[in-house]
Amino acid sequence: MKKNSYIILSSLCLIYFTILIYLSFNTIVVNDLLIGILELITIPFVILLLFMFFLSVKKWYLDKFQLKSTNYFSIIILTITLLLLIISTKANI
């Protein structure tokens, strides 16, 4: 994968889960078809999130923990996404 793809995929996961939480907070009427599609996409996004996190940590380790590495920024974004998911799960959102 290219270096920027980690940041792009991490940001995509963050945006997707933020939209899901936003939809659960507000009383927006969403079509049943859209809800079904979102349910089907959520599981691959969770798997992608975990896979990307471990892959980024591994690559950051191989980069000798450089703070200017794209893997470091990807880890920051993925950690924020994971914390967002944990908080939303604990708060029953």
Side-chain angles (χ1 to χ4, degrees):
M1 290 179 125
K2 294 182 180 180
K3 287 186 176 185
N4 291 335
S5 63
Y6 289 109
I7 293 178
I8 292 170
L9 288 175
S10 302
S11 300
L12 183 66
C13 285
L14 179 64
I15 291 168
Y16 177 73
F17 286 117
T18 305
I19 289 171
L20 279 182
I21 292 172
Y22 175 76
L23 287 175
S24 68
F25 259 120
N26 294 332
T27 56
I28 299 173
V29 178
V30 182
N31 191 1
D32 289 336
L33 178 65
L34 182 61
I35 291 173
I37 291 171
L38 290 176
E39 293 274 336
L40 289 174
I41 295 174
T42 300
I43 294 172
F45 263 98
V46 169
I47 293 170
L48 176 69
L49 178 75
L50 296 174
F51 180 72
M52 287 275 304
F53 186 79
F54 291 119
L55 205 68
S56 294
V57 169
K58 180 183 172 188
K59 293 218 179 227
W60 191 44
Y61 171 74
L62 293 175
D63 285 343
K64 299 179 182 174
F65 301 111
Q66 293 179 358
L67 294 180
K68 293 183 180 180
S69 171
T70 57
N71 296 315
Y72 175 70
F73 295 119
S74 177
I75 290 170
I76 298 268
I77 294 170
L78 291 170
T79 304
I80 291 169
T81 307
L82 282 172
L83 286 174
L84 185 69
L85 285 175
I86 292 169
I87 291 169
S88 67
T89 303
K90 290 291 184 180
N92 289 328
I93 295 174

